[in-house]
Amino acid sequence: GAGVSQSPSNKVTEKGKDVELRCDPISGHTALYWYRQSLGQGLEFLIYFQGNSAPDKSGLPSDRFSAERTGGSVSTLTIQRTQQEDSAVYLCASSLLPSGVGEQFFGPGTRLTVL
Amino acid sequence: RKEVEQDPGPFNVPEGATVAFNCTYSNSASQSFFWYRQDCRKEPKLLMSVYSSGNEDGRFTAQLNRASQYISLLIRDSKLSDSATYLCVVNSETSGSRLTFGEGTQLTVNP
């Protein structure tokens, strides 16, 4: 079956522009996560959606970052007024069960470069 | 102190070698533990969960020591295809439902 998909695969933008990154989780997965990974670094948690519950936004680094999940499926991560330090690979993952119980399946990521 | 710390690596070993990775975690309330594998420029994938009694999957053995807050991964008879970065991952209720990833240990298996 289809895995987690993300688009675009690569995004180059100018400092100060807004970007939207999209994630399509595996069908039926109730949990969805966003992470970012800078070059040579580990994964940094950004935000977690579980069903209809309020999202866990504790990892968002600033108010320039926001995310939504429409209809319990597709999610969009928006970065406003991008900065060079936002350059990273943004990974989306989904799981059938909540974190800690179910395996997280990752998408291929969106590589964001802010010039 | 980081929540999850791993051997910095990189590890370079010959084919057939046995290699062990160590990981420590700071949150004593942590409840679930995993090893993920990440190939170069690819997404992470679950390698194995880590259970209290220790568990084995083929050439891979994971151990957990709750008293020392320590997790290990042992790879026996390493193959070229084992070359990757190995991520130690921890979940605790006090951190909500998110997983905390270590920065990973890079392994290169040489012919």
Side-chain angles (χ1 to χ4, degrees):
Chain A
V4 178
S5 62
Q6 293 186 244
S7 60
S9 55
N10 282 283
K11 176 71 176 178
V12 180
T13 190
E14 293 179 347
K15 178 181 172 181
K17 300 283 190 183
D18 297 351
V19 295
E20 283 190 354
L21 313 179
R22 177 187 168 105
C23 172
D24 280 273
I26 293 173
S27 177
H29 281 195
T30 59
L32 187 147
Y33 316 80
W34 283 99
Y35 299 87
R36 74 175 174 182
Q37 187 172 32
S38 300
L39 188 63
Q41 302 296 310
L43 273 71
E44 176 188 2
F45 167 79
L46 297 178
I47 189 169
Y48 162 60
F49 296 90
Q50 173 60 52
N52 295 321
S53 302
D56 175 0
K57 304 180 182 180
S58 60
L60 294 178
S62 78
D63 58 8
R64 295 186 296 104
F65 289 73
S66 62
E68 62 178 20
R69 188 178 185 191
T70 54
S73 181
V74 172
S75 177
T76 301
L77 177 69
T78 301
I79 309 173
Q80 296 178 309
R81 305 181 303 281
T82 52
Q83 303 295 311
Q84 289 182 330
E85 61 262 28
D86 299 334
S87 296
V89 176
Y90 288 81
L91 290 159
C92 174
S94 70
S95 64
L96 183 60
L97 299 173
S99 173
V101 179
E103 175 183 354
Q104 290 190 15
F105 294 85
F106 283 83
T110 294
R111 185 173 299 275
L112 175 66
T113 303
V114 182
L115 301 177
Chain B
R1 183 187 172 189
K2 294 177 183 174
E3 274 193 68
V4 179
E5 294 202 62
Q6 297 186 236
D7 286 339
F11 284 56
N12 284 278
V13 302
E15 264 187 298
T18 295
V19 60
F21 302 136
N22 301 317
C23 172
T24 57
Y25 58 95
S26 61
N27 188 342
S28 60
S30 297
Q31 297 174 322
S32 302
F33 311 91
F34 311 89
W35 284 101
Y36 275 69
R37 168 193 169 130
Q38 186 172 25
D39 292 295
C40 187
R41 300 178 75 87
K42 297 286 189 180
E43 70 273 21
K45 293 184 180 179
L46 178 67
L47 177 65
M48 58 196 302
S49 300
V50 186
Y51 303 119
S52 296
S53 55
N55 49 298
E56 188 174 305
D57 183 2
R59 298 181 292 108
F60 298 83
T61 301
Q63 296 281 351
L64 169 64
N65 184 322
R66 286 188 183 271
S68 302
Q69 296 178 204
Y70 169 90
I71 307 160
S72 66
L73 175 68
L74 184 76
I75 305 176
R76 292 183 301 278
D77 188 24
S78 52
K79 311 291 185 191
L80 296 177
S81 57
D82 294 334
S83 298
T85 296
Y86 291 82
L87 305 170
C88 176
V89 185
V90 172
N91 167 263
S92 69
E93 288 300 317
T94 56
S95 63
S97 296
R98 61 184 169 94
L99 297 179
T100 302
F101 286 75
E103 293 191 357
T105 301
Q106 185 178 346
L107 170 67
T108 301
V109 181
N110 301 302

